[in-house]
Amino acid sequence: MSRNCLIVAAGEGSRHREWIQVDCDFDVHLLVYDGSAEKWRGDTEHICKLHGYKLKMTYAYLTQNTEILERYDYFLLADDDISMTSADVNAVFAAMRRYGLQIGQPSLVDSYYSWYHTLHDEFCRLRYTNFVEVMIPCFSREALRKVLFTFDENDCGWGTESHWPSLIDTNKRDIAIIDEVKVVHTRPVQSGSPQNFRDLDAYLKKYNLRAAAYLYDYIEDPQAERSLFNHQVYFELKWGLVNWMSRNANRHPDALGLDGRFGYVLFASTLWRITEARKYADMAIDFMEHDRHLGNIKDNLTLARGLTGCCYAMELMTVQRLIEADETDSLLEDADKHITERFATKREVLTMEELVGVGLYFLKKYDRTGDQRYLDLSREAADALRGRELAPIGGAALSVACGAAELLSRHGDPDIRLIEAIRGSISDDKAKSVERLTAMWRLYLITGDTSLRDSALEFADTATFDVGNVTDALALALLMTVRIGEP
């Protein structure tokens, strides 16, 4: 008999069969709240019919079967819409023992959530906190005994999590989000009924509590690839971008390229990957669906304002796995044809910025698909750039100059004057910090100069990054996806 207990409030759509496939170091107790008990009858010998919310049912079950509390060392109480494996469940119990936790929960990835700090932190093994959510908490036997009465205080359980730390007399090292274990909360979080909020308010007032979450400390994962930013700076920038999005999500400019609406699309998609919050993936899709009609930008081939920017964003979102590759190819078929034809017929009059847009878009397309014709098209754009005056940068944007250098370098001709002009712009403190850091990193990737890499790492940890528009937000988010390749 196992010393670990998994209690599931299960309904018709329960995902618990995902959790019990093989090598389960736990016993499963199903508390069925609807008419699906017969459907699950063969899953476990521990099954009963109850009604109500999960905590209320768990209280009734454990007080009516008091021997269960004596039988197990740890108890995981999972919502039935969690996607995880038996190995994940085993790992939660193992982490509880290894770290001496009284209360814990796995971290959430690609998930709908209520509390930001429950989302996965890829740089940590676990983070010590005062707040573990009712969605999927794990308790030691001692902790469960102390907090069990709270499960019966109201119907929904709201407010109880804020009480648990004081009830177990926490030492700030015995409650944690376990980043070693990642699970998915698959259903959008319900906003709650007016009664839920009344229950929450009444509970907090009754015990003089505040519903607030704190992180006290963390254990770093020594195997994690490092970011451009140190952990603290990364954390602050991540939630700074979340706040920026919450203030600006409905302020799309008229332009549709990366400096406009598709900048918001790609920013939301990238924010999804940085935070693991599924709502930003949904937001990106909503933004993109809203902007299906590209209008007169078809004859603008710049990344910042034109068609190549929209297509480039979709290619990156495919790499981020927000869009399926087949869907991307279908959506971009007409755009590819238009860009190719306009490039062929208007090459001599296209601006440097447009040539860079064409070249980088088709290079990104080639990198994803491996289709040689896109590499050939990007080479043609690079050849057209060679006839232009590229250095000094002059009025060209720093990002355009970096794009030109990247394109020429990929096709065997790094332009030394252009690279030196970019170096000069990096040292110019009139440029925004995010522009300078982006240029440092792109130039390092082009040249392999490790002094640029070291300068980028130092700058990333000391500079102040102001986000004034979606261009800044997107650039900073993309920098946060960079991984150095070593801890």
Side-chain angles (χ1 to χ4, degrees), residues 440-453:
M440 281 183 209
W441 189 252
R442 293 181 74 177
L443 202 56
Y444 160 65
L445 295 178
I446 292 166
T447 65
D449 184 346
T450 55
S451 68
L452 283 166
R453 173 186 181 274

Side-chain angles (χ1 to χ4, degrees), residues 102 141-150 164 167-169:
Q102 295 298 306
R141 183 197 304 121
E142 293 76 13
L144 186 55
R145 281 173 173 161
K146 293 174 181 177
V147 307
L148 185 59
F149 79 91
T150 69
W164 297 342
L167 290 174
I168 70 166
D169 192 22

Side-chain angles (χ1 to χ4, degrees), residues 278-430:
R278 182 70 201 182
K279 71 175 184 178
Y280 297 116
D282 296 344
M283 193 178 293
I285 294 296
D286 288 344
F287 289 165
M288 189 166 62
E289 291 293 329
H290 180 72
D291 293 315
R292 289 274 184 157
H293 303 290
L294 302 181
N296 61 10
I297 66 158
K298 291 178 68 176
D299 291 337
N300 182 324
L301 299 187
T302 67
L303 291 175
R305 297 172 299 281
L307 182 60
T308 58
C310 303
C311 298
Y312 188 89
M314 293 177 68
E315 286 294 328
L316 273 180
M317 289 188 294
T318 308
V319 174
Q320 294 172 346
R321 302 189 304 280
L322 182 65
I323 312 173
E324 293 294 332
D326 289 347
E327 181 183 6
T328 301
D329 292 336
S330 175
L331 289 171
L332 294 184
E333 183 177 359
D334 290 341
D336 281 351
K337 182 178 179 181
H338 181 81
I339 293 170
T340 302
E341 291 178 350
R342 185 164 178 80
F343 173 57
T345 58
K346 302 290 184 179
R347 183 178 314 185
E348 298 304 317
V349 298
L350 294 181
T351 66
M352 173 182 170
E353 188 176 359
E354 287 181 306
L355 289 174
V356 169
V358 170
L360 290 185
Y361 165 59
F362 282 125
L363 198 56
K364 184 63 67 178
K365 189 87 171 182
Y366 167 73
D367 288 341
R368 180 179 67 81
T369 67
D371 190 329
Q372 181 65 37
R373 64 193 173 101
Y374 294 120
L375 183 63
D376 294 341
L377 283 166
S378 70
R379 182 181 292 108
E380 291 177 22
D383 289 341
L385 277 174
R386 290 189 180 96
R388 304 296 179 92
E389 181 63 37
L390 302 179
I393 293 174
L398 184 55
S399 63
V400 176
C402 288
E406 179 182 339
L407 191 58
L408 292 170
S409 179
R410 281 290 297 268
H411 292 293
D413 183 24
D415 188 291
I416 302 303
R417 290 186 305 153
L418 180 59
I419 287 173
E420 290 307 311
I422 294 171
R423 284 184 184 271
S425 295
I426 289 172
S427 62
D428 184 357
D429 59 11
K430 293 180 182 178

Side-chain angles (χ1 to χ4, degrees), residues 107-364:
S107 62
L108 304 179
V109 293
D110 191 18
S111 289
Y112 299 101
Y113 67 96
S114 296
W115 296 83
Y116 278 126
H117 76 296
T118 61
L119 294 168
H120 178 66
D121 187 320
E122 66 179 291
F123 304 110
C124 292
R125 287 184 169 176
L126 87 167
R127 287 162 291 143
Y128 294 109
T129 182
N130 70 316
F131 196 99
V132 161
E133 194 177 7
V134 70
M135 181 191 299
I136 185 169
C138 189
F139 301 90
S140 70
R141 183 197 304 121
E142 293 76 13
L144 186 55
R145 281 173 173 161
K146 293 174 181 177
V147 307
L148 185 59
F149 79 91
T150 69
F151 294 9
D152 195 43
E153 287 280 293
N154 57 40
D155 284 335
C156 64
W158 284 27
T160 57
E161 307 108 311
S162 299
H163 202 181
W164 297 342
S166 61
L167 290 174
I168 70 166
D169 192 22
T170 181
N171 61 14
K172 298 184 180 180
R173 291 295 184 276
D174 51 12
I175 304 177
I177 309 297
I178 304 168
D179 290 300
E180 289 180 349
V181 188
K182 299 175 286 186
V183 303
V184 181
H185 183 229
T186 60
R187 287 200 291 259
V189 176
Q190 301 302 310
S191 59
S193 67
Q195 184 59 49
N196 293 155
F197 287 99
R198 287 192 290 270
D199 287 346
L200 170 64
D201 186 58
Y203 193 97
L204 296 178
K205 287 181 178 178
K206 179 178 179 179
Y207 293 103
N208 193 27
L209 301 168
R210 289 181 63 244
Y214 306 102
L215 290 173
Y216 299 124
D217 202 354
Y218 54 87
I219 298 177
E220 289 188 343
D221 180 358
Q223 302 303 315
E225 291 183 316
R226 73 153 294 173
S227 162
L228 275 176
F229 307 90
N230 69 46
H231 186 263
Q232 185 60 38
V233 171
Y234 187 96
F235 182 85
E236 292 172 356
L237 291 176
K238 176 168 65 174
W239 301 120
L241 289 178
V242 165
N243 290 333
W244 189 90
M245 176 60 100
S246 67
R247 296 192 305 270
N248 293 276
N250 297 316
R251 298 182 183 179
H252 298 184
D254 292 334
L256 286 183
L258 293 182
D259 287 356
R261 294 191 182 185
F262 265 76
Y264 277 92
V265 172
L266 183 54
F267 174 54
S269 178
T270 307
L271 198 57
W272 165 52
R273 281 306 175 198
I274 292 171
T275 63
E276 296 289 355
R278 182 70 201 182
K279 71 175 184 178
Y280 297 116
D282 296 344
M283 193 178 293
I285 294 296
D286 288 344
F287 289 165
M288 189 166 62
E289 291 293 329
H290 180 72
D291 293 315
R292 289 274 184 157
H293 303 290
L294 302 181
N296 61 10
I297 66 158
K298 291 178 68 176
D299 291 337
N300 182 324
L301 299 187
T302 67
L303 291 175
R305 297 172 299 281
L307 182 60
T308 58
C310 303
C311 298
Y312 188 89
M314 293 177 68
E315 286 294 328
L316 273 180
M317 289 188 294
T318 308
V319 174
Q320 294 172 346
R321 302 189 304 280
L322 182 65
I323 312 173
E324 293 294 332
D326 289 347
E327 181 183 6
T328 301
D329 292 336
S330 175
L331 289 171
L332 294 184
E333 183 177 359
D334 290 341
D336 281 351
K337 182 178 179 181
H338 181 81
I339 293 170
T340 302
E341 291 178 350
R342 185 164 178 80
F343 173 57
T345 58
K346 302 290 184 179
R347 183 178 314 185
E348 298 304 317
V349 298
L350 294 181
T351 66
M352 173 182 170
E353 188 176 359
E354 287 181 306
L355 289 174
V356 169
V358 170
L360 290 185
Y361 165 59
F362 282 125
L363 198 56
K364 184 63 67 178

